[in-house]
Amino acid sequence: MNAPPQVVINSSASTTPSTHRSTGPSTPSRIMGWLSQRWLPLTWASVLGSYALAALILPRGEHLNAIGDVLQCLVPLFAITGLLLNSGSADWRNDVFWMLLGMGCGMWMAGQCLWTFVEVIQHQPVPNPFLGDVIFFLHPVPMIGALAMAPHRKAGEMRYRFGSIDFSLLLLWWVYLYLFIVIPWQYVWPNQNLYNKAYSDLAMVQNMVLVIGLALLAFRSNSGWRKIYANLAGAALLYSSASLLINMAIDRNAYFTGSFYDLPLIGSFLWFGSAGFLAHRQRPASEAGSEHRRENWPAELAICTVVSMPMLALWGLWGSQAPLAVRDFRLSVTLALIIPAVLLVFLRLRMVDRDRLHLLRKSQESLQDLQRLQAQLVQSEKLASLGHLAAGAAHEINNPLTGILGYAELLLDDPMLGERPRGLAGKMRDQARRIKHLVGNLLSFARQIPGEKAALDVNEVVKGALNLSHLELRGNENIRILDEFQPGLPAVHGDANQLIQVFFNLIDNALDALEEAGGGELRIHSRFDRKFVVVDVIDNGPGIKEPRMVFDPFYTTKPVGKGTGLGLSICYGIVQEHRGRIHCFNRPEGGATFRVELPVISVPLSIPLAVPASSGKS
């Protein structure tokens, strides 16, 4: 038997000459370091040596049985400790792998405790067949289930959402095999020789499945995980050999607890524990390059178990030479266990169908989002072109507009001008100034690069957005816009262009709702509330169908071509970037309210926003 891998100690510090005595490690420190690195081999040597010494010195009897039984109860505990040390990682597959291995050792320890109870507490020889044989037989099942976890593969490569059902089918299949092959010769048609042969053969097949599975994992992995899988496969092979030797000795009535037959068995559990401690010390990472190994053998094996059950029943009914009572019992067991097996398969298929429907819905939603995104990209290109066109047109308008303002000022300064022409010249100047402010707001709104944040007067920002929204009214006399601005609001820190975009979108949505209702009233109300400047955009339109979803991307109730569902989500992002809050709700008397809350700053206004003071009412 190969000893578990050991850590090589760098002894250069002890062999290299030193000029100062005080720098070298002391003798007790070197001894402690040597022991800390070689405690696993020392544990092996002390446990196996003590057991062999007891088998040599003590005569066969109760004292030797007690020592052997107690030690065989403690050695699996060592294995469980070493295996479960690795179950505290962030990868659930790694945790399940080590916990299932620990569960298998724990089941064997439970069977050994029952053996110890009969032999040490009750002072009776263990019968053959033994009641705890089923526990000894089933303990490799969790270990075989652990093989499906394959923790050496990259996290996220495999998703075993149906692992519990597959494991239940696997466990049910091994129980069925035990009931079908072994139990008839224990209770239905008692025959100790046939029972011993059936149990030994079936247990050997089961153990070899575990050994081959671990060996395949070792062959398909690299570096650190290969060494760990190889140690686990070696421990499983040693246990399989020990179990075969013990079962053969029991069949010849040559086995007794404390004999040399137990040494390979104890060594196998020491090896399992050592493999766990080795993995805990090395902590191998998941391996890259194994993405192509997407295997679904646990599910396929689980389905094969169900298919094999009626085939075994047919063989037991027509192809077996067993007594009629045994054949009837095997048929009854098959009929009894095939029902839960079929139910598990049906449940698995239902889960698969539900999962596929969920994925199909997600795919459809993703496709719709991609289509909306494509439409939005096309619309964005159009808006970008219109923005460039508007910017160029605004610059061209500014040139003659400057001349109009200049000539109007000259007329107003002319003392020879009459009263009526002077009044007309003043109206021309006011309207020209208004056009200039609108052109400035259009240029500011069309900017692609956001400006720097500064102290802002929210009232002026909202008035700028209102001036732009008047262009959307298109002479609709059924819509009235009322502003209720609280004077002297504290300043907020923000980007004027982005906030104009927020309030313009909110006002524009409200105007669309009022147009849909045939007219109504839009009120914009600003106030100071604790540490926030609050702006309410209130309309008496039809209200919002789903207030919780209005800020979701691509959510829109407008007809196709009217909106893309991104305006309010952009507003939400801008307000969040300004560390504010935005939400909406329906009013009890009808209509909707959008509320924007922006945190205030204590400094005075440093850079006033160049927007007109008058909002205009219609």
Side-chain angles (χ1 to χ4, degrees):
M1 179 180 67
N2 296 326
Q6 303 177 10
V7 175
V8 178
I9 301 177
N10 186 0
S11 59
S12 60
S14 61
T15 58
T16 304
S18 177
T19 57
H20 300 281
R21 291 179 179 269
S22 59
T23 59
S26 61
T27 301
S29 298
R30 279 185 286 182
I31 294 176
M32 293 301 298
W34 183 84
L35 290 175
S36 64
Q37 297 293 338
R38 291 178 169 82
W39 71 273
L40 282 176
L42 291 175
T43 302
W44 278 59
S46 59
V47 172
L48 294 177
S50 301
Y51 200 89
L53 185 62
L56 283 174
I57 296 177
L58 295 178
R60 179 177 179 177
E62 292 185 358
H63 294 292
L64 183 60
N65 292 342
I67 293 175
D69 286 330
V70 171
L71 186 59
Q72 291 183 48
C73 288
L74 294 178
V75 172
L77 190 60
F78 170 81
I80 295 171
T81 303
L83 296 172
L84 294 185
L85 276 178
N86 302 279
S87 61
S89 67
D91 185 3
W92 68 271
R93 294 182 300 116
N94 178 82
D95 296 345
V96 173
F97 174 78
W98 294 106
M99 285 191 291
L100 288 176
L101 291 179
M103 183 189 298
C105 294
M107 291 178 63
W108 194 94
M109 187 176 67
Q112 179 59 34
C113 289
L114 184 61
W115 183 293
T116 303
F117 176 79
V118 173
E119 198 168 46
V120 177
I121 305 300
Q122 294 184 341
H123 302 286
Q124 296 179 0
V126 178
N128 184 23
F130 173 49
L131 183 62
D133 285 346
V134 63
I135 302 177
F136 289 121
F137 174 78
L138 291 178
H139 91 271
V141 175
M143 295 182 165
I144 297 175
L147 303 180
M149 297 298 104
H152 67 283
R153 296 178 180 172
K154 291 199 305 185
E157 175 193 343
M158 299 176 296
R159 296 179 59 192
Y160 291 102
R161 299 188 61 228
F162 315 105
S164 58
I165 295 181
D166 295 338
F167 179 76
S168 300
L169 282 170
L170 184 64
L171 178 61
L172 183 66
W173 187 62
W174 284 109
V175 171
Y176 168 74
L177 290 179
Y178 189 82
L179 294 175
F180 188 90
I181 298 175
V182 179
I183 289 298
W185 311 118
Q186 183 177 2
Y187 295 108
V188 180
W189 195 273
N191 188 316
Q192 184 175 348
N193 292 331
L194 292 178
Y195 171 83
N196 292 335
K197 185 179 185 304
Y199 183 91
S200 299
D201 293 344
L202 190 58
M204 178 56 59
V205 171
Q206 187 185 54
N207 291 329
M208 292 310 299
V209 169
L210 177 61
V211 173
I212 294 173
L214 288 170
L216 288 176
L217 288 179
F219 177 75
R220 295 182 177 183
S221 59
N222 300 314
S223 62
W225 276 109
R226 171 171 293 183
K227 185 182 297 184
I228 293 170
Y229 287 143
N231 277 273
L232 291 173
L237 181 60
L238 182 61
Y239 172 81
S240 178
S241 303
S243 177
L244 179 62
L245 290 174
I246 291 176
N247 289 333
M248 292 174 60
I250 291 175
D251 295 342
R252 300 194 311 268
N253 293 323
Y255 174 80
F256 60 92
T257 305
S259 64
F260 286 98
Y261 290 107
D262 292 333
L263 286 177
L265 181 66
I266 294 174
S268 66
F269 285 104
L270 289 175
W271 203 343
F272 274 119
S274 300
F277 284 111
L278 174 66
H280 181 70
R281 185 172 60 198
Q282 293 186 351
R283 297 184 182 274
S286 299
E287 300 174 1
S290 59
E291 297 85 355
H292 61 283
R293 300 175 189 154
R294 298 179 62 104
E295 301 170 359
N296 198 29
W297 65 266
E300 296 172 356
L301 181 61
I303 299 300
C304 291
T305 59
V306 180
V307 177
S308 66
M309 294 173 72
M311 297 177 62
L312 286 174
L314 292 176
W315 172 83
L317 188 62
W318 293 326
S320 175
Q321 302 298 324
L324 181 61
V326 173
R327 286 184 285 173
D328 291 341
F329 174 78
R330 287 174 171 172
L331 182 61
S332 301
V333 166
T334 303
L335 293 176
L337 292 186
I338 203 171
I339 295 176
V342 171
L343 290 177
L344 287 173
V345 172
F346 176 76
L347 178 61
R348 193 183 192 283
L349 292 177
R350 289 283 296 175
M351 292 177 64
V352 170
D353 291 340
R354 186 180 304 174
D355 187 62
R356 289 177 177 174
L357 288 175
H358 177 73
L359 291 176
L360 180 60
R361 285 194 296 268
K362 289 294 184 181
S363 300
Q364 292 176 343
E365 293 175 1
S366 300
L367 179 60
Q368 293 173 358
D369 290 343
L370 287 175
Q371 292 174 345
R372 294 192 188 102
L373 182 60
Q374 184 180 12
Q376 174 61 20
L377 289 175
V378 173
Q379 187 69 13
S380 298
E381 291 295 330
K382 293 180 180 180
L383 292 176
S385 300
L386 289 175
H388 289 298
L389 180 61
H395 284 294
E396 293 297 326
I397 292 173
N398 270 332
N399 293 328
L401 191 61
T402 303
I404 293 173
L405 282 173
Y407 290 131
E409 294 288 348
L410 290 175
L411 288 174
L412 290 174
D413 293 339
D414 188 358
M416 301 299 293
L417 194 64
E419 189 65 28
R420 178 177 175 78
R422 185 180 299 275
L424 293 176
K427 291 181 179 179
M428 289 172 56
R429 182 191 61 183
D430 293 340
Q431 294 301 318
R433 286 178 177 175
R434 184 178 181 187
I435 294 174
K436 189 174 182 64
H437 286 305
L438 286 174
V439 171
N441 287 336
L442 284 173
L443 288 173
S444 177
F445 186 73
R447 288 178 61 186
Q448 298 297 321
I449 302 175
E452 296 181 356
K453 292 183 179 180
L456 301 173
D457 185 353
V458 174
N459 286 340
E460 297 297 326
V461 174
V462 178
K463 290 175 184 178
L466 271 173
N467 284 331
L468 293 176
S469 65
H470 276 82
L471 301 176
E472 296 288 330
L473 286 176
R474 294 176 291 275
N476 192 335
E477 298 180 354
N478 296 325
I479 297 177
R480 293 190 306 158
I481 300 179
L482 303 176
D483 56 65
E484 302 172 358
F485 298 137
Q486 178 181 337
L489 290 177
V492 301
H493 188 69
D495 181 0
N497 299 318
Q498 291 183 348
L499 292 180
I500 283 180
Q501 182 179 0
V502 169
F503 292 113
F504 177 79
N505 282 330
L506 296 181
I507 295 172
D508 186 58
N509 282 340
L511 292 177
D512 288 340
L514 292 176
E515 284 185 356
E516 182 182 349
E521 183 179 273
L522 172 62
R523 290 192 300 116
I524 294 93
H525 176 71
S526 68
R527 69 183 188 279
F528 173 66
D529 187 4
R530 298 179 183 177
K531 297 181 179 180
F532 293 89
V533 170
V534 181
V535 179
D536 291 331
V537 180
I538 308 168
D539 67 76
N540 59 356
I544 305 171
K545 295 181 180 179
E546 296 174 300
R548 295 182 179 180
M549 299 180 61
V550 293
F551 298 111
D552 293 343
F554 304 113
Y555 175 79
T556 180
T557 58
K558 297 180 181 180
V560 178
K562 181 81 173 174
T564 58
L566 287 175
L568 291 178
S569 64
I570 293 174
C571 293
Y572 182 86
I574 292 175
V575 174
Q576 290 291 320
E577 183 184 353
H578 284 74
R579 295 183 297 175
R581 299 186 295 242
I582 180 172
H583 50 277
C584 65
F585 54 90
N586 289 319
R587 302 165 62 216
E589 59 271 23
T593 297
F594 281 85
R595 178 166 296 168
V596 178
E597 302 175 359
L598 298 171
V600 302
I601 56 177
S602 58
V603 300
L605 291 178
S606 59
I607 306 176
L609 184 64
V611 293
S614 61
S615 63
K617 299 180 182 180
S618 60

